[in-house]
Amino acid sequence: MNSAPPSAPTSTPGAGAADAGLPARSVPPTADAGPGRHGPVEVRRSARRRRTVSAYRENGRTIVLLPERMSAADERHWVGVMLDKLAAQESRRLLARGELADRAVRLSQEYLQGHARPASVRWVTNQNTRWGSCTPADGTIRLSHRLQGMPDYVIDYVLLHELAHLLVPGHGPDFWRLLESYPRTERARGYLEGVASAPRLPPTRDPRGG
């Protein structure tokens, strides 16, 4: 299930803006930030950053964005802080998996006569161009972490969408017939389309001028 905007990194005060085109380097893992827990860690410094430090996961790596003038000691401190923040966020998502699986069972029973039976349902942080995905061969469903905080009916729609794909792989008439019984399909699709298009819309002029 496709969409558009990239995920926002975890940020914290301490270092500000874009970091495109800057040299990156890997840093040796600390005792709390080893590859087994976080994967390889890559630090990217930016002269344009002043007050924020950011971090995110990308293709099995942890990217930490820092101000260019930060000292080596401060770098070690903030890399550790951001790795801990990401780990805490992911732990909260892990705790929510059981609830997500229960939700999938309920939706399948209510709208698909219980025919869709996923082997696992989980949040993931590496889906920045789609809201959800599934693998019918092994029954796994993955929802983008960007859905967290959206209305429940939107999350239910995306989850039901992927449950339906366990039964019908494509987006043909048979697939959409499975979703006809969900009363908020069009509303949820409109919400997601609005979220996806918002970054591409021109700024709205103030009707009072300026």
Side-chain angles (χ1 to χ4, degrees):
M1 187 171 182
N2 296 331
S3 73
S7 63
T10 294
S11 300
T12 195
D19 299 84
L22 293 166
R25 64 186 181 81
S26 296
V27 297
T30 66
D32 292 327
R37 181 178 173 191
H38 298 282
V41 178
E42 183 178 296
V43 169
R44 299 177 185 174
R45 287 177 174 260
S46 169
R48 289 172 287 182
R49 279 188 170 262
R50 293 290 186 272
R51 293 177 51 78
T52 60
V53 177
S54 299
Y56 60 93
R57 309 288 195 205
E58 181 180 78
N59 299 324
R61 303 175 69 81
T62 301
I63 311 300
V64 182
L65 309 176
L66 302 174
E68 186 177 57
R69 295 184 179 182
M70 182 174 283
S71 69
D74 283 343
E75 174 183 310
R76 287 192 297 272
H77 168 76
W78 284 109
V79 166
V81 167
M82 300 314 291
L83 291 178
D84 286 345
K85 280 197 167 197
L86 285 172
Q89 289 178 349
E90 288 161 359
S91 293
R92 287 193 293 270
R93 281 193 286 270
L94 284 171
L95 291 173
R97 285 185 186 178
E99 178 186 345
L100 203 57
D102 291 343
R103 199 168 186 166
V105 170
R106 175 180 59 78
L107 289 169
S108 177
Q109 291 174 343
E110 187 170 354
Y111 298 106
L112 301 174
Q113 293 76 52
H115 295 317
R117 300 172 183 173
S120 69
V121 186
R122 60 192 177 96
W123 296 107
V124 294
T125 58
N126 60 354
Q127 289 193 158
N128 297 325
T129 60
R130 56 178 61 192
W131 298 115
S133 63
C134 77
T135 305
D138 61 13
T140 58
I141 290 177
R142 298 160 295 279
L143 299 187
S144 171
H145 71 291
R146 294 177 301 130
L147 289 165
Q148 294 174 346
M150 291 188 187
D152 284 347
Y153 75 88
V154 176
I155 298 174
D156 281 353
Y157 165 72
V158 176
L159 184 48
L160 187 61
H161 186 109
E162 301 309 330
L163 286 166
H165 274 313
L166 294 179
L167 306 176
V168 180
H171 288 102
D174 289 343
F175 173 82
W176 292 113
R177 271 194 290 272
L178 290 176
L179 295 181
E180 284 179 353
S181 59
Y182 184 65
R184 295 188 171 184
T185 289
E186 292 306 316
R187 183 178 177 186
R189 292 181 68 190
Y191 184 100
L192 293 172
E193 288 168 4
V195 171
S197 64
R200 300 191 294 272
L201 294 176
T204 302
R205 288 182 59 86
D206 188 329
R208 296 169 297 182

